[in-house]
């Protein structure tokens, strides 16, 4: 992000670009970056971007994002089909094969969180202070 005074004139710089890419390209690129896509609308409003301009850019970015997903699906059509056929053949065994590692990972995360909370309580680190 750019906090220079000229950014207050409605310019949106979400992607640092040394070649001075336009604001619309930066806003379109933000659609593909999870963290930036969340802050782009309020940032565009705060920097004074017109609603009509923002909506037009977002419409184009959404079309591009959808086209990219469709293109990936078409490019990997054979691999996706093979994966779906394999899942269909394996049936519920495939579900079990996918769920066991996911459940183990979640249990590890919960256990780690509980141990961290217990350690913080025992050492007094992170306690509330007035």
């Amino acid at each position: 992000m750019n906090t220079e005074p000229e950014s207050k004139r409605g310019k949106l710089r979400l992607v640092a670009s040394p070649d001075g890419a336009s604001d619309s390209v930066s806003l379109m690129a933000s659609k593909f970056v999870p963290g930036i896509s969340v802050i782009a609308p309020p940032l565009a409003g705060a920097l004074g971007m017109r609603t009509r301009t923002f909506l037009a850019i977002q419409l184009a970015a959404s079309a591009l994002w959808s086209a990219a997903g469709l293109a990936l699906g078409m490019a990997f059509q054979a691999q996706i089909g093979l994966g779906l056929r394999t899942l269909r053949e394996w049936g519920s065994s495939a579900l079990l094969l996918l769920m066991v590692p996911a459940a183990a990972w979640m249990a590890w995360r919960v256990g780690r969180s509980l141990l961290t909370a217990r350690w913080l309580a025992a050492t007094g680190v992170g306690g509330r202070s007035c």
Side-chain angles (χ1 to χ4, degrees), residues 13-63:
R13 300 265 187 239
L14 294 173
V15 179
S17 54
D19 61 348
S22 70
D23 298 330
S24 60
V25 172
S26 297
L27 189 56
M28 287 180 78
S30 74
K31 194 76 163 170
F32 293 88
V33 182
I36 301 297
S37 66
V38 174
I39 65 167
L43 186 59
L47 295 177
M49 181 176 279
R50 293 180 41 198
T51 303
R52 179 176 283 165
T53 304
F54 176 78
L55 290 176
I57 293 169
Q58 285 297 295
L59 180 65
S62 295

Side-chain angles (χ1 to χ4, degrees), residues 67-78 80:
L70 288 172
L72 284 172
M74 291 171 63
F76 295 105
Q77 179 179 355
I80 293 170

